[in-house]
Amino acid sequence: MAFQNILPDPNNYISYSGSTSNSAPGAALGPGFTSVKFTANQPTMMTRTNSGRVITRSVAAHSWDIDISYNSLTRAEFEPVFSFLMSRNGKLNPFFIELPQYLAAQDSTFAASVISNPPTTSVKIAEGSAVPAGRTYFRTSYTGSGTPRQGDIFTISDASNSVHTKAYMVTRVETSTDYNTAFDASTNPGSNQFRLHFSPPLVSATSDTSPLDFTEPKIRVIQAGDVQEYSLGVNGLYKFGLKVEEAAP
């Protein structure tokens, strides 16, 4: 059985042995979150000339920062989560988080169809076999129903780059009947295609026909601080929160 590498939550089990199996001794789902603070962190340098012209440039990679709060927890609810985090040895070992607001795409038709029929990247001829790093859009092939919506999160399963774990957020979706004709004509979507715009830009070149995962996308993170702490009330309940930041391999 595999060790759990996703933060235990109402969608992910962890057993006494730390496995993912829901039939292993002590297997239980983790507690839900009271609130989630989700931050897009894109360090940018800005210079303003004497004439008032603004010049900007990115000075570091984008990351998602996540601040999770829990309700007061019983010890049975608290210990599996805290021990999971302790096993990461602070910031030494990354893990994954699934956020409840992004477990499924907003379009229910698309969310149901995409489970077994994910869209795949469709590279334009001039780009050869991969979409280059730095791009903020690509055309996709999709034979299912529905479309993604602005704000959906996805990850990319690139068979030629297993460490491409970056999470991306959809910003625009163009279809074969609704697209900007003045934009990159070589990626205009045809039948069973859409052109997907997203943020941040691609961190790695992405192979043609790479599947996009909109179902329970996982964000690879590390703990933001070196200290883990909790407080125990006179009622025997544990108060605890967690801050993490996205971590590229």
Side-chain angles (χ1 to χ4, degrees):
M1 290 181 288
F3 283 115
Q4 182 61 274
N5 67 349
I6 305 171
L7 181 72
D9 62 22
N11 202 45
N12 290 285
Y13 284 88
I14 190 167
S15 72
Y16 291 152
S17 67
S19 81
T20 61
S21 173
N22 61 4
S23 61
L29 293 169
F33 309 149
T34 303
S35 65
V36 176
K37 182 179 179 181
F38 192 63
T39 304
N41 184 12
Q42 178 63 79
T44 304
M45 181 177 292
M46 185 186 82
T47 303
R48 188 183 296 274
T49 67
N50 290 338
S51 64
R53 182 186 177 198
V54 173
I55 302 171
T56 61
R57 59 187 180 274
S58 178
V59 295
H62 170 281
S63 69
W64 302 110
D65 297 341
I66 305 168
D67 189 348
I68 294 171
S69 298
Y70 291 93
N71 283 315
S72 295
L73 304 173
T74 65
R75 187 169 189 182
E77 295 169 327
F78 166 77
E79 293 293 4
V81 175
F82 195 72
S83 61
F84 172 87
L85 294 171
M86 292 296 290
S87 73
R88 305 296 110 177
N89 296 313
K91 291 189 274 190
L92 287 178
N93 297 304
F95 55 97
F96 291 90
I97 280 183
E98 293 179 350
L99 296 178
Q101 67 269 38
Y102 299 124
L103 290 178
Q106 297 168 80
D107 178 348
S108 59
T109 301
F110 178 72
S113 178
V114 78
I115 294 173
S116 58
N117 185 26
T120 59
T121 55
S122 178
V123 175
K124 61 184 182 179
I125 295 174
E127 290 175 337
S129 60
V131 184
R135 282 273 298 277
T136 58
Y137 66 93
F138 46 58
R139 182 176 53 193
T140 69
S141 296
Y142 178 57
T143 58
S145 302
T147 62
R149 294 284 184 262
Q150 297 100 320
D152 286 343
I153 289 284
F154 68 93
T155 55
I156 302 172
S157 298
D158 189 341
S160 65
N161 185 3
S162 61
V163 298
H164 187 178
T165 61
K166 181 68 179 174
Y168 300 94
M169 178 175 286
V170 176
T171 57
R172 282 187 287 162
V173 183
E174 299 176 87
T175 67
S176 60
T177 58
D178 180 19
Y179 65 90
N180 184 348
T181 57
F183 196 68
D184 183 359
S186 61
T187 62
N188 284 346
S191 178
N192 296 325
Q193 293 181 330
F194 53 79
R195 183 160 56 201
L196 193 67
H197 298 254
F198 50 85
S199 181
L202 280 175
V203 298
S204 300
T206 301
S207 301
D208 194 19
T209 70
S210 293
L212 310 183
D213 186 3
F214 285 90
T215 304
E216 300 176 8
K218 299 170 181 59
I219 303 176
R220 189 177 189 267
V221 299
I222 56 171
Q223 298 177 65
D226 294 319
V227 177
Q228 285 298 326
E229 61 183 5
Y230 65 86
S231 60
L232 179 62
V234 294
N235 57 1
L237 298 179
Y238 292 73
K239 294 292 291 182
F240 173 66
L242 174 64
K243 292 183 178 182
V244 296
E245 55 191 40
E246 192 176 21

